[in-house]
Amino acid sequence: MEKGVAESRTEQIQILMPEHINGAGRLFGGKLVEWIDVVAGVVARRHSGCNVITAAIDNLQFKAGAYVNDTLVLIGRVTHVGHTSMEVRVDTYVESLSGTRSVVNRAYLVLVALDENGNPTPVPSLRLENRKRARGMGRGRTAPGSAQNPSSGRLLKPGYGISRVIHVLIKTPSSDEIRRVRGLFPLCR
């Protein structure tokens, strides 16, 4: 089974209130991370048709501040699918009253689909509708059978894609497995 990117795309809107602001007068980063996690979870649930857990926040970049009364727009979409895992990109914008959007944050999260017993379960593959989207959305794959860590660009060996790394981490790995994963996937350190 395949699903397109548009089928799970999710958008959330927030108007920043005083309770969302930190001591420096800007949006509290932890609040934004919470909203990003919710958007990513909805995207992954829509794609997989299952409950999901967040396995990793792979990359989170704060690009600009947001302030009281700003309109925040969070847009999430699937960028890569493994066997049981999904990489989700969430872009956050401040939207002006004229409708112009400025990037505030970009985040990549890895979520794992769970069956009714709480075990990882296969997810539908990702159908890429056009070449532009294939270049931008299929970023997790560099060649058949290999995967790339989006943060470092480090190539993982064939057979050790994100879904296998996450599966190893979820299943209480042995010390040998931990050493092998740490060498292949720097974010697991």
Side-chain angles (χ1 to χ4, degrees):
M1 181 172 161
E2 283 187 335
K3 285 191 176 179
V5 172
E7 293 177 66
S8 59
R9 183 183 182 278
T10 300
E11 188 170 313
Q12 181 187 86
I13 312 296
Q14 298 285 339
I15 295 177
L16 296 186
M17 303 294 181
E19 62 268 18
H20 303 139
I21 304 302
N22 65 20
R26 297 170 181 238
L27 171 61
F28 177 57
K31 179 52 82 174
L32 181 57
V33 171
E34 175 186 340
W35 291 334
I36 288 169
D37 194 30
V38 169
V39 169
V42 172
V43 169
R45 288 174 79 157
R46 286 177 172 175
H47 183 82
S48 67
C50 302
N51 284 321
V52 297
I53 57 167
T54 302
I57 297 177
D58 184 51
N59 193 333
L60 183 73
Q61 300 175 16
F62 291 94
K63 298 180 179 285
Y67 306 89
V68 168
N69 206 34
D70 279 349
T71 301
L72 225 56
V73 180
L74 293 88
I75 301 172
R77 63 187 70 73
V78 176
T79 56
H80 178 72
V81 173
H83 182 67
T84 62
S85 64
M86 297 150 283
E87 180 186 64
V88 176
R89 172 178 164 171
V90 179
D91 292 308
T92 304
Y93 304 91
V94 168
E95 184 177 87
S96 70
L97 294 175
S98 68
T100 304
R101 292 181 178 177
S102 302
V103 176
V104 172
N105 188 284
R106 175 161 296 142
Y108 289 92
L109 297 87
V110 177
L111 295 98
V112 176
L114 301 176
D115 64 17
E116 56 280 344
N117 297 316
N119 297 312
T121 190
V123 298
S125 59
L126 186 60
R127 181 179 62 248
L128 303 173
E129 286 91 12
N130 61 49
R131 285 185 184 271
K132 181 180 177 186
R133 181 153 289 157
R135 281 194 307 272
M137 300 307 226
R139 61 189 281 292
R141 290 278 179 207
T142 57
S146 67
Q148 187 174 19
N149 178 331
S151 300
S152 68
R154 184 173 176 185
L155 195 62
L156 301 177
K157 293 180 182 175
Y160 283 89
I162 292 172
S163 60
R164 181 143 180 213
V165 170
I166 298 306
H167 179 75
V168 168
L169 294 175
I170 290 173
K171 293 291 187 183
T172 314
S174 70
S175 56
D176 287 337
E177 288 172 319
I178 291 170
R179 280 193 295 280
R180 187 171 57 237
V181 168
R182 284 182 176 160
L184 295 171
F185 200 70
L187 296 177
C188 293
R189 294 177 188 213

